[in-house]
Amino acid sequence: MTAAGAGGAATAFRARYGPWALVAGASAGLGEAFARALGARGLDLVLVARRADALDRLAADLRAAHGVEVRTLPLDLARPDLEAAVARAVDGLELGLLVYNAAASAIGPFLDRPLAAQRAVLDVNCAGPLTLCHLLGGPMARRGRGGLLLMASLAGGQGNPWLASYAASKAFEIVLAEGLWAELRGRGVDVLACRAGATRTPGFEASRPRAEVPLMAPEAVVEEALAALGRGPTVVTGRLNRLAAFLFTRLLPRRSAIGIMERATRRLYEGNAP
Ligand SMILES: NC(=O)c1ccc[n+]([C@@H]2O[C@H](COP(=O)([O-])OP(=O)(O)OC[C@H]3O[C@@H](n4cnc5c(N)ncnc54)[C@H](OP(=O)(O)O)[C@@H]3O)[C@@H](O)[C@H]2O)c1
């Protein structure tokens, strides 16, 4: 694309999904890449995550690089008063895009991990996106434009032993996005679940995988996801991942898909789960 073409596309994106976007889980990895990509499109940003220092550094970078306004909101997305806390912080801002990127996981045998860790998966990966879609989707629908983008995973396509609650939470995000996509498209709000595969992020590295797997760059995942907004309820990012998704959800019997996920996850984490 020419520079003029890219500038025009960024302007159209901002008109459709701006002027403000909120990225939940913005301090690292895919969330940071979303924030950088949205800043480059001229959107003003509210950045949410727990680590205030990382958010402040990113905010300073984005202001300097793109001249956009950036606010940071350090909080835990699992907090029970999430709706009130975010509502207070964004009062008066015209938010045209939500990217819900944060996730929690409990890797390893379900019964060996504390219930608190499994419940955190529900709070961050299910209650969090549900709450923010409800809070921010209403004003978008009233304005007749906007977008809700949920970062899901290929793991949400079938049961995943050793990641059972995480995979179930990602299925929740996918099915939530599909339902909202149909409900809100007549009201100008685009809803998308991004079913990403393994991606090179600090979160993935921190899970200490023992085996090599093909990893996508976060920037590539983000560009595919943003390009897919408004084109359907879900996107699988990356050619290999699209092939895997087709095999797992269309070709293989469900039991076989679960078995393959089990072997792959054990190969990654057996003897070394965080
Ligand atoms: N990486 C992969 O291989 C991969 C594959 C498929 C799907 N995905 C999905 O992509 C998304 C991002 O993954 P990632 O690998 O980039 O993750 P990551 O590197 O672990 O980053 C997650 C972000 O969420 C924030 N976060 C986590 N828990 C939070 C909480 N309780 N409250 C507030 N913020 C919280 C983290 O910041 P703080 O620590 O500062 O709070 C960080 O900014 C997730 O939804 C994941 O399921 C990732």
Side-chain angles (χ1 to χ4, degrees):
M1 201 185 283
T2 62
T11 305
F13 189 93
R14 188 174 190 275
R16 178 90 188 88
Y17 301 114
W20 285 84
L22 184 147
V23 182
S27 62
L30 281 154
E32 176 182 344
F34 270 112
R36 291 188 185 280
L38 296 172
R41 285 162 171 79
L43 273 76
D44 300 316
L45 290 158
V46 180
L47 305 178
V48 182
R50 290 164 300 185
R51 283 171 296 159
D53 52 344
L55 291 180
D56 288 342
R57 277 195 300 276
L58 177 59
D61 260 20
L62 292 169
R63 288 183 198 111
H66 306 297
V68 294
E69 265 192 74
V70 187
R71 293 192 188 180
T72 59
L73 180 55
L75 55 72
D76 189 334
L77 288 156
R79 61 192 273 177
D81 63 342
L82 180 65
E83 183 188 19
V86 175
R88 262 194 313 276
V90 304
D91 189 34
L93 300 185
E94 190 176 326
L95 276 156
L97 182 64
L98 163 70
V99 176
Y100 196 97
N101 170 76
S105 60
I107 303 176
F110 178 74
L111 296 177
D112 292 354
R113 297 290 171 267
L115 179 60
Q118 310 290 2
R119 292 199 70 109
V121 172
L122 273 188
D123 292 338
V124 179
N125 306 6
C126 301
L130 182 85
T131 301
L132 295 194
C133 283
H134 197 266
L135 175 70
L136 306 179
M140 289 179 199
R142 284 193 288 282
R143 283 194 295 271
R145 61 178 192 88
L148 304 168
L149 194 165
L150 308 184
M151 271 310 293
S153 168
L154 285 185
Q158 62 293 300
N160 192 333
W162 276 47
L163 272 174
S165 58
Y166 172 81
S169 74
K170 294 288 144 179
F172 176 85
E173 284 182 305
I174 293 167
V175 176
L176 177 69
E178 286 174 342
L180 295 183
W181 169 80
E183 273 191 47
L184 297 179
R185 70 183 156 153
R187 304 185 65 185
V189 181
D190 299 325
V191 185
L192 178 74
C194 173
R195 296 164 61 203
T199 307
R200 189 174 295 103
T201 65
F204 183 81
E205 306 290 349
S207 74
R208 295 184 294 149
R210 285 189 321 151
E212 293 281 319
V213 285
L215 293 174
M216 278 185 75
E219 295 75 18
V221 175
V222 163
E223 287 305 323
E224 275 194 51
L226 292 178
L229 199 54
R231 296 180 176 204
T234 65
V235 64
V236 179
T237 46
R239 212 160 39 87
L240 268 181
N241 293 327
R242 281 191 285 280
L243 183 65
F246 182 72
L247 277 174
F248 281 111
T249 54
R250 301 273 182 87
L251 282 189
L252 289 173
R254 221 156 155 86
R255 281 176 187 226
S256 311
I258 296 167
I260 293 173
M261 292 311 276
E262 173 163 26
R263 286 193 290 283
T265 309
R266 279 174 178 263
R267 193 171 136 258
L268 277 181
Y269 296 116
E270 194 144 41
N272 203 31

